[in-house]
Amino acid sequence: MKAAVINAPNAEVRIEERDPPSPARGEVLIRVHACGVCHGDLMLQLGQFPFARYPVVPGHEIAGVIEEVGEDVGKLHPGDRVGLSALFSSCGCCKQCLHDDEILCSQMQFTGITQDGGYQQFVLARAAYVAHLPDRLDFVEAAPLMCAGLTVFSGLRHAGFEPRNKVAVIGLGGLGHMGILLVRAMGGRVAVLSTSADKEDEARELGAERFINLKTESASEALRAWEGGADIILATPPAAEPMMAAFPGLALNGTMVVLGAPAGDIAVSPMDLIMGRRRLIGSPAGSRKDLRDTLHLAAAHGMHPRVIPMPLGDAGKALKQMHERKIHGRLVLVMD
Ligand SMILES: [Zn+2]
Ligand SMILES: [Zn+2]
């Protein structure tokens, strides 16, 4: 089989020929059909995860079919359509694992970071961490749900999202565009904040009712003019400045959810926090329950993420495009 491998921090992606692995007890072998290209994959290439294990096959937005099962894998069978997220495995018995919060388990293993991921034709997975894909989702459109969709959905859930909420989405990359689709599917309203004026059409086509140009408008004033401010702000790009500019644009009791990690600190005024009872939270990907709910929501609403399919052989090129931030939608590697 073909596998795209990163041998060390800052190394180029290399395509290798490998033997497909065999699933051990409790494992399944997935024939990968599609794997999304996440910003996390670029961070992995740039050596920004101290806990990463090199050489490693990146990729944690996996959609495919069970090829082979090991012993004791419960209800999974060859031919089942499945997905695998960044949550490769967890301890299974700590407080977080026992409360549907295994994404915070201290023993968590990350697909495509500490374990080989989906930039290859076959990937091993722990049966207990694989999700069934609803019939209505095709592989290429399901892939971006496995991290971008899941991360947004879980962030909204932890921010206490309710239908009719006004949600401001900072940035219109992979996470941002999934944010618009998911919020609209759940009955929320959306404003997009972006530094690129040319993204306005795309934002409105996806369902945003407002577009705020961060280069020419004050983010907080524009948000407050939106019937008193945003109930939730989803901060997706790894840049602190727009987060700090937008924070005072939260409505009373509003919550900003930090999804992209800036290099520097995020400073907010204590008075903005206290006097409006506003909250600033961060949120990682999501649990298995979050993932099931994300997939069902997408299937029920016939959601179509904007995907740009690319062959596995172009994995290096895909990460380069991610670095140059020139992508409209989500790059998805498809296997031949
Ligand atoms: Zn645990
Ligand atoms: Zn990701």
Side-chain angles (χ1 to χ4, degrees):
M1 66 166 186
K2 282 195 179 68
V5 185
I6 296 176
N7 279 310
N10 296 305
E12 296 289 319
V13 177
R14 281 179 178 279
I15 305 293
E16 284 181 10
E17 199 60 47
R18 291 182 172 185
D19 291 330
S22 290
R25 180 182 289 266
E27 291 181 342
V28 295
L29 183 68
I30 301 172
R31 178 187 285 272
V32 181
H33 282 249
C35 183
V37 178
C38 177
H39 191 259
D41 304 342
L42 176 63
M43 292 172 70
L44 174 77
Q45 187 181 31
L46 298 175
Q48 292 173 357
F49 295 121
F51 51 90
R53 185 219 70 191
Y54 300 90
V56 64
V57 176
H60 54 260
E61 289 193 337
I62 300 170
V65 168
I66 302 275
E67 176 81 5
E68 200 185 329
V69 297
E71 289 173 62
D72 296 335
V73 299
K75 289 182 181 139
L76 291 171
H77 304 285
D80 287 359
R81 301 170 78 253
V82 294
L84 179 65
S85 73
L87 177 69
F88 183 85
S89 66
S90 63
C91 83
C93 54
C94 69
K95 189 176 154 201
Q96 285 71 34
C97 284
L98 294 176
H99 290 90
D100 278 334
D101 213 5
E102 62 274 19
I103 192 71
L104 299 186
C105 174
S106 64
Q107 306 297 309
M108 182 189 157
Q109 294 289 315
F110 293 81
T111 313
I113 299 176
T114 65
Q115 301 285 330
D116 281 346
Y119 284 25
Q120 55 181 343
Q121 288 174 299
F122 294 95
V123 64
L124 277 180
R126 299 280 170 83
Y129 292 84
V130 158
H132 271 116
L133 292 182
D135 290 339
R136 281 186 69 178
L137 295 179
D138 77 34
F139 296 116
V140 177
E141 290 185 337
L145 296 168
M146 304 306 297
C147 179
L150 170 64
T151 302
V152 165
F153 181 87
S154 182
L156 287 166
R157 175 172 269 175
H158 286 97
F161 173 86
E162 289 176 3
R164 300 299 300 157
N165 271 179
K166 285 170 285 166
V167 179
V169 176
I170 307 178
L172 196 50
L175 287 170
H177 104 278
M178 288 300 319
I180 304 177
L181 293 175
L182 286 164
V183 169
R184 297 293 292 141
M186 291 191 288
R189 300 163 59 190
V190 180
V192 167
L193 290 78
S194 172
T195 50
S196 324
D198 64 342
K199 293 216 170 173
E200 175 161 3
D201 289 347
E202 189 183 351
R204 291 193 188 275
E205 278 166 32
L206 288 163
E209 65 182 57
R210 286 188 184 219
F211 183 85
I212 298 163
N213 184 337
L214 288 168
K215 285 211 172 121
T216 57
E217 293 175 75
S218 151
S220 58
E221 278 171 29
L223 285 176
R224 280 197 299 262
W226 192 26
E227 298 164 38
D231 300 299
I232 296 172
I233 297 176
L234 291 177
T236 74
E241 209 127 283
M243 297 183 194
M244 297 191 282
F247 189 82
L250 275 175
L252 304 177
N253 291 302
T255 302
M256 176 182 277
V257 190
V258 176
L259 300 175
D265 292 344
I266 303 161
V268 298
S269 144
M271 294 314 279
D272 287 336
L273 278 175
I274 297 167
M275 300 312 287
R277 201 184 293 115
R278 297 181 179 89
R279 298 189 297 160
L280 177 63
I281 66 170
S283 189
S287 67
R288 285 171 284 183
K289 182 183 187 312
D290 291 330
L291 180 57
R292 285 194 297 276
D293 292 347
T294 304
L295 294 171
H296 288 134
L297 180 73
H301 286 266
M303 200 177 286
H304 296 292
R306 301 215 161 169
V307 290
I308 306 152
M310 280 180 112
L312 175 64
D314 283 349
K317 205 164 105 187
L319 290 178
K320 200 166 279 172
Q321 286 187 17
M322 175 74 76
H323 204 25
E324 290 161 0
R325 306 177 74 170
K326 281 181 186 160
I327 306 161
H328 291 258
R330 194 65 152 180
L331 295 177
V332 177
L333 298 174
V334 289
M335 311 303 148
D336 23 59

